[in-house]
Amino acid sequence: MLTDVHESADVAKVAEVVDILQIPAFLSRQTDLVVAAALSGRAVNIKKGQFVAPWDMRHAVEKCRQAGNSQVFVTERGASFGYNNLVVDMRSLAIMRKFAPVVFDATHSVQLPSSTHGDEDGHAVSGGQPEFIPVLARAAVAAGVDGVFMEVHDNPKEAKSDGANALVSTKLREVLKEMQAVHAAVEKAHATP
């Protein structure tokens, strides 16, 4: 079980009931939070901020390790590409794998943050391009990631959160088979002299 933790003061209580503490993307550079999570003794997943270069994630990982916790990995979720758009630079996966295991978040990477910004009194709502989830998931597996995260829902339009960038559950089996096939092909290519 894993969940985000947002404040250092909450780490101890949350660590009592979860296996992995996640540092949210927008808090990935908060030293006190990263160190508190590391000191909990739980594994720590640091979500790469969309504003952080992949090589700069080494600093967050090192904060964890310097606090005595080597159970740390990072999650790629895309990078800001102008307003209301994210893009995934597949090079970031290889760069970050040099210093930590990497999970690829295939669904948040297709999010269009606050793309429906509403009027002056309206709420900003994020959109998404879920049709690209399979493409990015296959590419990440081909790049050698250590894991893939996907938000899946039976009816994304009714989801309470992240519905615009969730994979419809009826497509999950096909996407998993495609990722397994890519993984097998990569393993075979590496095994062949």
Side-chain angles (χ1 to χ4, degrees), residues 106-190:
T107 49
H108 284 96
S109 294
V110 299
Q111 187 179 65
L112 300 172
S114 301
S115 62
T116 308
H117 49 280
D119 57 25
E120 292 177 20
D121 298 325
H123 295 290
V125 178
S126 292
Q129 296 176 313
E131 66 272 20
F132 294 116
I133 294 169
V135 173
L136 292 176
R138 289 190 310 264
V141 170
V145 293
D146 300 287
V148 176
F149 173 88
M150 289 185 280
E151 297 226 15
V152 180
H153 198 280
D154 291 339
N155 184 356
K157 290 181 182 179
E158 298 296 320
K160 302 252 187 253
S161 176
D162 295 323
N165 51 282
L167 182 70
V168 177
S169 60
T170 56
K171 295 182 179 181
L172 179 60
R173 186 178 309 272
E174 179 184 337
V175 173
L176 291 174
K177 285 181 181 180
E178 291 172 352
M179 289 190 307
Q180 287 177 322
V182 169
H183 178 70
V186 168
E187 290 293 309
K188 184 177 178 182
H190 287 142

Side-chain angles (χ1 to χ4, degrees), residues 2-40:
L2 68 154
T3 190
D4 285 1
V5 62
H6 296 88
E7 295 187 24
S8 301
D10 297 333
V11 169
K13 283 262 190 220
V14 176
E16 291 177 11
V17 294
V18 300
D19 303 298
I20 302 170
L21 295 170
Q22 291 189 140
I23 306 300
F26 288 115
L27 299 175
S28 62
R29 298 187 63 203
Q30 297 300 311
T31 299
D32 59 336
L33 182 59
V34 172
V35 170
L39 291 172
S40 75

